[in-house]
Amino acid sequence: MSPQQQWRFEFTIAAAKTRQLHNYAGLQDRFMAAPGPLDATFGSDLYKANPNFAIYLLQARMKQDGLYPGKLDGLAGTATVRGLSQVCRVTLDRADCDETALRPDVVGALIADKNS
């Protein structure tokens, strides 16, 4: 395994084990320091490993971009889903974002676009 593959594997396991909200910020810092680019497959795997943390990452990005007014809680409430649908339409140029914003492939693609 390459160092990047090893990091991805270890990070996905760490995310799967991290279930408490107060630990998400530290995990987010590790995510932002990822070695090299992250693809949609990794994002999808991360969403499957810990959907709440994946949503937390996207909430943090949307909040930074002024697209999400809520708190960072990792929950897919109305404001989160609305924001994800909007980001999906703009970033991924998909017409079906209102129905699919919480699918692993869509969340994975949004996570992969960490420099947006």
Side-chain angles (χ1 to χ4, degrees):
M1 259 203 242
S2 74
Q4 184 179 16
Q5 290 171 321
Q6 187 174 3
W7 181 91
R8 291 166 60 140
F9 186 68
E10 290 172 355
F11 187 84
T12 304
I13 291 171
K17 291 180 177 181
T18 304
R19 295 293 177 188
Q20 296 178 339
L21 179 61
H22 70 271
N23 293 322
Y24 285 178
L27 197 58
Q28 179 186 19
D29 291 342
R30 286 180 57 193
F31 171 82
M32 296 308 292
L38 301 172
D39 60 18
T41 300
F42 170 77
S44 179
D45 289 345
L46 184 58
Y47 182 63
K48 291 173 190 173
N50 187 335
N52 295 108
F53 176 66
I55 296 299
Y56 177 93
L57 284 176
L58 295 174
Q59 284 175 331
R61 185 179 308 147
M62 291 186 302
K63 191 170 208 56
Q64 182 179 14
D65 294 342
L67 301 173
Y68 175 69
K71 62 183 178 176
L72 302 180
D73 59 9
L75 301 177
T78 303
T80 299
V81 173
R82 188 178 309 121
L84 288 174
S85 296
Q86 179 182 355
V87 172
C88 174
R89 281 190 299 277
V90 171
T91 304
L92 305 179
D93 194 27
R94 292 178 60 140
D96 62 347
C97 289
D98 288 338
E99 295 84 33
T100 64
L102 293 176
R103 277 192 358 208
D105 60 321
V106 174
V107 171
L110 293 175
I111 288 172
D113 186 37
K114 78 172 187 174
N115 296 318
S116 67

